[in-house]
Amino acid sequence: MFDQAMARIAGRFKRVEPRATARAFVLALLSGVERKNCWRPAEQAGHARPGPMQRLLRSTRWDADAVRDDVRAYVIEHLGADGGVLIVDETGFLKKGTASAGVQRQYTGTAGRIENSQVGVFLAYASSRGRALIDRRLYLPEASWCQDAERRTRAGVPDQAEFATKPTLAGQMIAAALDAGTSATWATGDEAYGQDPGLRALLESREIGYVLAVACSTRVRINQGRTAARADAMANRPPTSAWHRQSAGSGAKGPRYYDWAWIEIGADGHRHLLIRRNPNSGELAFYLCWAPKPVPLSELIRVAGARWCIEECFQAAKGQVGLDHYQVRHWTAWHRHITLAMLALAFLAVLAADATPSRTAQPNRPARSTAPIDLTVPEIRLLLGALLDPPSTSPRRLLHWSNWRRRHQATARRSHYQRRLASTSTG
C-alpha cells in the first residue's frame, strides 16, 4: 500500500533522484526515528550527508501544492463516506529567532499563551471511516511580515502571498476542497471561525451545512427574526424537557456526554442556536447552525462533536510523523515538510481504516468485550517503525554520523558566539 500511496505523487518529481529522496523522507517520517528533521531521516536512509533531504525541502523543483492535492484526493478516495465533515483549526509551531517565515510573538493554543511561533491553519476531513489533514496554510502576520518586503524576500515568501485572516484562509481551503470534488456535507470549527460572517456566507453559498462555535456574547435573531438577543441569554429559554443528554462522540475516557438544546433562529427555518451544557460543571457552549434542509438534533450534535477530530489529527501528526520536527525557515521548505507529513499521516489513517472494516457496522463495542481495540494510528506507526528500521547499524556508520553532527554543532556554536560578540561590541 505504501508503494500505491507514493505512486500518486511520483509524477510531481521530474527526476528519479528527488523522487527516491521523497520516498525515503516519507519512510523516515513513518519510522521510529526520534527527530525527523533531515539529519536523522538522511542517516536512516543511508545517505552520507543530510544534503539530499535538505535540497528536497528547499531547492529541488517540485510543487508542494500539487502533492497536497494528491493527498486530499487520496484521503477522500479511501476515507470518504456519507456525512463527511470538513474541520478547520489552527496549530502553533514554537520557534526561536525571527527568521522563520511567519514567525512572531502571537497566541498559540499549542502553548496556551503568547509565544514566539509560527501558526498554520489546517483543514481536516472526518467521516465514519477515519480522519486526516487535507490542506494547510501558513498564517502570515500583516504588520510584521506582509508589510516588510526585505523580510519576505529573505524567507522566500512569494509576491502573491498577501495578508489573509485565519477565517479567510479556512474559507480558501474549504472552497478548494469543494472545487476538487470533496464529498462533504458539513463543516465545523471553533469560535475563531464561527464568529466570521464571511466564512458562514461562503458555506451557505456552497450548500454546505455548518455547526460553528461562537462566543456567548454573540447576538442571534429570534421571534422569526424580529428581535435579537445574546446567546447566553437564550440558555434559560428551553424548558427542562427540551434538554437532551447525548454523546458528542467517543473520547479517550469513553463517550463525551453533554446536555443539548436547540432554538430556531431567523425566519427561514434553516438556522438554529445549539447549546451544549456540561452536566457536571454546568459550563455552556454555543453553536450557530445552518443546514440546506431540515435535520434532527442528533445530526447537529454529531457534527459539533466532529470538531475534536482535528485535534486528534494534530496530536497524531506531531507525535507520530514529525509535523513540527522541521528545522527550516524558508516559506517553500515549510510547506513541503508539512505536506509530506500530511501524506504520512494520511497513509496511516488509511491503513487504520482498512484494518477495521467493521467500524461503521459496529461503532460501539460492548464495554466488557475481551476483543482488542481497533488498530490506531499510533499503534500502526509503531508496528511500521519496527519493520522499517534496520535491525542494527554498523559502528562505523554510528561514528560517522556522530562526528558529522558534532562538527555541524560546533560550527553553529561558533557562528552564534560570533554574532553575539559582534552585537555586544556594537551595542
Side-chain angles (χ1 to χ4, degrees):
M1 286 189 65
F2 180 74
D3 289 340
Q4 295 174 355
M6 293 305 299
R8 300 183 77 103
I9 70 168
R12 306 301 183 182
F13 303 90
K14 302 303 182 183
R15 297 172 55 243
V16 173
E17 293 83 358
R19 189 180 309 148
T21 303
R23 175 188 174 86
F25 190 89
V26 176
L27 280 173
L29 295 179
L30 294 168
S31 73
V33 172
E34 183 178 357
R35 294 295 297 173
K36 309 174 194 296
N37 58 3
C38 285
W39 292 13
R40 294 300 304 277
E43 180 181 0
Q44 191 211 26
H47 297 169
R49 294 286 187 275
M53 297 287 188
Q54 293 170 337
R55 287 193 295 273
L56 176 73
L57 298 184
R58 180 65 184 267
S59 58
T60 302
R61 294 184 61 183
W62 61 281
D63 187 346
D65 285 346
V67 173
R68 181 271 321 273
D69 294 345
D70 294 333
V71 173
R72 181 175 58 210
Y74 175 70
V75 169
I76 301 305
E77 178 181 326
H78 290 274
L79 303 183
D82 292 341
V85 183
L86 295 173
I87 314 160
V88 293
D89 202 359
E90 64 200 61
T91 189
F93 303 89
L94 302 183
K95 303 296 289 184
K96 296 180 180 179
T98 61
S100 300
V103 71
Q104 72 168 14
R105 287 188 60 78
Q106 55 191 323
Y107 178 82
T108 169
T110 301
R113 58 184 182 272
I114 294 176
E115 286 285 354
N116 198 60
S117 62
Q118 296 169 296
V119 171
V121 181
F122 286 79
L123 179 68
Y125 175 84
S127 73
S128 57
R129 285 187 52 77
R131 68 290 307 267
L133 301 173
I134 62 172
D135 205 347
R136 73 287 178 270
R137 296 286 194 278
L138 179 60
Y139 174 68
L140 203 62
E142 183 174 18
S144 60
W145 278 93
C146 291
Q147 299 175 10
D148 191 331
E150 182 180 353
R151 198 179 190 193
R152 289 168 60 107
T153 300
R154 287 198 303 266
V157 178
D159 294 338
Q160 62 269 27
E162 299 178 348
F163 173 73
T165 65
K166 294 167 187 175
T168 298
L169 295 175
Q172 292 172 1
M173 292 188 291
I174 290 173
L178 297 176
D179 290 341
T182 300
S183 57
T185 54
W186 290 96
T188 187
D190 65 16
E191 290 182 19
Y193 303 93
Q195 295 289 135
D196 188 80
L199 181 59
R200 299 198 303 268
L202 168 69
L203 293 169
E204 292 181 25
S205 69
R206 302 298 294 261
E207 295 288 300
I208 300 296
Y210 58 76
V211 179
L212 294 168
V214 293
C216 62
S217 59
T218 301
R219 299 186 68 81
V220 296
R221 308 295 300 182
I222 57 176
N223 297 327
Q224 295 184 338
R226 292 191 296 270
T227 58
R230 283 173 54 112
D232 53 3
M234 305 291 292
N236 295 324
R237 290 177 62 91
T240 302
S241 59
W243 290 91
H244 305 271
R245 183 160 298 181
Q246 292 190 33
S247 170
S250 298
K253 299 181 180 179
R256 298 186 294 257
Y257 282 105
Y258 295 95
D259 295 328
W260 303 85
W262 59 338
I263 300 172
E264 184 174 328
I265 58 177
D268 56 8
H270 294 271
R271 304 176 191 278
H272 291 86
L273 175 69
L274 178 65
I275 307 174
R276 187 192 76 197
R277 183 176 67 195
N278 188 307
N280 298 317
S281 65
E283 181 182 4
L284 298 173
F286 304 91
Y287 303 83
L288 288 182
C289 309
W290 179 87
K293 59 182 180 181
V295 296
L297 173 62
S298 58
E299 180 69 355
L300 298 183
I301 295 173
R302 180 187 74 85
V303 178
R307 200 196 71 78
W308 280 291
C309 290
I310 197 168
E311 300 290 350
E312 295 170 358
C313 285
F314 290 150
Q315 183 178 8
K318 292 183 177 182
Q320 304 302 321
V321 298
L323 185 77
D324 59 344
H325 289 191
Y326 60 87
Q327 291 181 336
V328 298
R329 297 174 176 177
H330 201 267
W331 171 277
T332 298
W334 185 90
H335 285 85
R336 289 181 172 185
H337 174 91
I338 296 297
T339 303
L340 293 176
M342 286 168 48
L343 173 60
L345 178 66
F347 173 67
L348 292 175
V350 170
L351 282 183
D354 289 346
T356 54
S358 61
R359 183 188 300 248
T360 55
Q362 298 176 342
N364 297 309
R365 287 184 174 171
R368 297 183 180 180
S369 172
T370 58
I373 65 171
D374 293 339
L375 282 169
T376 62
V377 165
E379 180 66 16
I380 291 176
R381 211 282 306 161
L382 182 63
L383 295 173
L384 277 175
L387 293 173
L388 294 173
D389 290 343
S392 62
T393 302
S394 69
R396 181 178 180 180
R397 181 165 292 280
L398 285 174
L399 288 173
H400 165 82
W401 273 95
S402 176
N403 288 333
W404 189 93
R405 279 193 294 271
R406 286 184 285 116
R407 286 197 303 269
H408 184 92
Q409 290 162 353
T411 301
R413 183 174 61 181
R414 284 195 299 271
S415 299
H416 288 314
Y417 280 14
Q418 289 169 358
R419 283 198 298 270
R420 180 166 296 181
L421 288 172
S423 63
T424 302
S425 62
T426 58

